Amino acid sequence: MPATSDSLQPQHRRLRLREVADLDDTAFSDYLRDRFDHLVTAAIADAAGYLRPSQHDLLHAPDHLHDLRDALTFAEGDLQVAVERMTYRRDPRAARTSRQLRQVRTALHQVHRQAAALRRTEDRTRDAAAESPSTDTVATTRSWLAHAYPARFTQLLAQAHVAAGLPARPLAEDVFDTIEEGWADGHLTAPSTPGVEQLLTRGVVAFRSAVADDARDQNDRDPALRHPLLQRRWNTALEELVSLTVPVARASSPSALGALPGDFSGLPEEDAFKILNARRFLVAIWQRRAEHTRLIRQYAGTVTDRRRTAPDHELRSQALDAALDRLVAEHPAAAARILARLRTYATTDGRLEPEVFTPALRAQAKREVLADLAAIRRLDIVLPSAIVPRPVLAATAALAAR
């Protein structure tokens, strides 16, 4: 437990914002790990400028940064709902809480930028180690093109595997395929516990209910839900909960609460609090969705890193590139169309950051692009020079030349 004085006892109660600064650095570190609501309190205290410099530095350390972003994400929505509740009840504390909300929003914006910069550095380090360029838009274009012409790509990939002397292996269709295959291959070592098995066998409604319960209890997390084999179902359930809650919460979109309806102040208390409770639940779902996004990124990164050390990695990679090269050469206009769409979401160096290009937005854009390509009979767009053939083995180079 945190090493604090008896007068503070943070493990037994939530400290006031100013009291957090009274914790020494060791007690403060323990306090952050103790409960999620303690982390939220510390994040708000930091945004309000109450923390000592050493506490601020600890909270913003690279290994705490993602947790801080989760806490600020929750705090922003929670404070907005608190302001709405206080305004409805004409509570004089609404002005002070509004000020805290503005401070948290400023802090969250800064943390988003810090986290994005940290992730770009990590990605560049990984890319440099693998001697691969940072061209996420190009890589995604090539991947989506394979999904646009699945039968032809499957044929080309099988030919490339044979030419390279490899057994056939289907290409993962999405990040969840990558994670599940990585677990099956032993690249992710999470054990299959009874809790995991139970969740895997639950029906859609029962599983969604488990996800909702997990989100409601912000101070606890079901470890089974974080298992690699459950990430696809967790993602689906979170999206379903957002879709179901947005209308009840009168939210402006699936990713923003927005303003309350104009007649809210005149609603009976029972109706008003039904809306406020739904808005608070939506905030909790968004926090869990941010956590889920980070987790699948970690899983996929681990699988990618460990596959790169596998004996057949280089052969498989070059066979895949050869198949994609041939597909791009056969459908240059379609590839250019996909690339143009992806560039609207990319950073200046061509990366597709998950905070901007979220899994939901990525899935939507992919569906729209593939539907667009399926509907168009003829495309007269020249393939940009940004998509260039990858280096290939001699065996696959001979294949590509046919």
Side-chain angles (χ1 to χ4, degrees):
M1 301 303 292
T4 60
S5 67
D6 292 339
S7 62
L8 291 176
Q9 296 180 314
Q11 66 270 38
H12 294 157
R13 68 180 178 86
R14 186 169 176 174
L15 298 180
R16 297 175 183 273
L17 297 181
R18 294 181 183 274
E19 291 176 331
V20 178
D22 295 333
L23 300 173
D24 62 42
D25 289 350
T26 300
F28 179 70
S29 180
D30 291 339
Y31 177 75
L32 296 181
R33 292 194 298 266
D34 189 32
R35 292 163 56 98
F36 183 74
D37 60 357
H38 289 177
L39 178 60
V40 171
T41 300
I44 298 173
D46 181 58
Y50 294 144
L51 297 190
R52 301 191 311 276
S54 61
Q55 292 174 318
H56 172 87
D57 292 344
L58 179 62
L59 195 60
H60 287 257
D63 56 337
H64 287 161
L65 199 58
H66 295 302
D67 292 333
L68 175 59
R69 184 175 58 184
D70 281 355
L72 287 169
T73 297
F74 179 80
E76 179 190 23
D78 197 46
L79 286 171
Q80 178 172 339
V81 175
V83 169
E84 293 166 347
R85 182 182 66 252
M86 292 173 184
T87 302
Y88 176 80
R89 287 185 160 175
R90 295 180 173 81
D91 189 323
R93 295 174 299 173
R96 183 186 66 185
T97 307
S98 294
R99 183 175 64 254
Q100 290 177 350
L101 175 58
R102 291 192 296 271
Q103 292 169 336
V104 163
R105 283 176 171 162
T106 299
L108 181 58
H109 177 71
Q110 293 171 344
V111 168
H112 274 312
R113 295 181 62 181
Q114 289 176 311
L118 176 63
R119 187 177 55 257
R120 283 194 293 269
T121 299
E122 292 172 345
D123 287 345
R124 290 190 183 100
T125 300
R126 178 180 289 115
D127 288 338
E131 298 182 351
S132 59
S134 301
T135 52
D136 283 356
T137 49
V138 173
T140 304
T141 294
R142 290 160 67 87
S143 173
W144 287 12
L145 190 66
H147 294 155
Y149 301 95
R152 179 56 176 157
F153 175 70
T154 298
Q155 182 183 46
L156 291 173
L157 185 60
Q159 291 173 359
H161 279 150
V162 170
L166 292 167
R169 179 173 187 172
L171 184 68
E173 293 188 4
D174 54 32
V175 68
F176 303 110
D177 278 350
T178 298
I179 292 171
E180 291 160 9
E181 290 173 4
W183 184 85
D185 292 343
H187 298 314
L188 299 173
T189 57
S192 182
T193 64
V196 172
E197 296 296 333
Q198 183 185 47
L199 285 175
L200 284 170
T201 59
R202 284 195 181 187
V204 173
V205 176
F207 185 84
R208 189 169 63 221
S209 178
V211 172
D213 290 342
D214 179 82
R216 288 189 184 96
D217 190 353
Q218 286 290 312
N219 288 318
D220 197 10
R221 278 154 175 73
D222 183 354
L225 197 57
R226 277 76 183 163
H227 192 275
L229 296 183
L230 286 164
Q231 295 314 295
R232 187 189 303 273
R233 293 197 74 185
W234 193 17
N235 181 72
T236 300
L238 288 171
E239 295 302 327
E240 290 173 348
L241 287 170
V242 169
S243 297
L244 291 170
T245 308
V246 162
V248 183
R250 306 288 185 90
S252 60
S253 77
S255 58
L257 288 176
L260 283 165
D263 63 347
F264 179 77
S265 60
L267 292 176
E269 185 168 302
E270 181 179 354
D271 295 338
F273 273 78
K274 184 180 296 184
I275 295 173
L276 291 174
N277 289 337
R279 288 166 81 83
R280 197 171 190 275
F281 177 66
L282 189 57
V283 169
I285 291 296
W286 287 337
Q287 185 280 320
R288 286 298 197 258
R289 188 167 63 179
E291 180 183 341
H292 163 69
T293 298
R294 187 172 77 249
L295 184 60
I296 61 175
R297 180 180 176 82
Q298 291 172 349
Y299 280 151
T302 298
V303 172
T304 298
D305 289 344
R306 292 180 179 173
R307 279 181 174 172
R308 284 171 177 162
T309 63
D312 64 351
H313 168 70
E314 192 63 26
L315 286 174
R316 287 193 177 278
S317 178
Q318 294 187 24
L320 172 61
D321 282 338
L324 289 172
D325 285 344
R326 290 194 65 186
L327 192 65
V328 169
E330 291 177 5
H331 302 282
R337 197 174 187 88
I338 297 172
L339 183 62
R341 176 66 179 273
L342 289 172
R343 279 174 171 163
T344 63
Y345 304 106
T347 59
T348 53
D349 61 357
R351 289 200 168 276
L352 296 167
E353 302 294 350
E355 282 74 21
V356 177
F357 203 43
T358 63
L361 184 57
R362 184 186 185 97
Q364 177 185 346
K366 183 177 179 181
R367 285 194 301 269
E368 292 173 353
V369 165
L370 296 184
D372 183 35
L373 293 179
I376 294 175
R377 294 286 182 256
R378 184 183 179 194
L379 296 171
D380 296 318
I381 303 174
V382 177
L383 178 69
S385 59
I387 301 183
V388 297
R390 302 285 202 274
V392 295
L393 294 176
T396 53
L399 174 65
R402 292 179 190 174

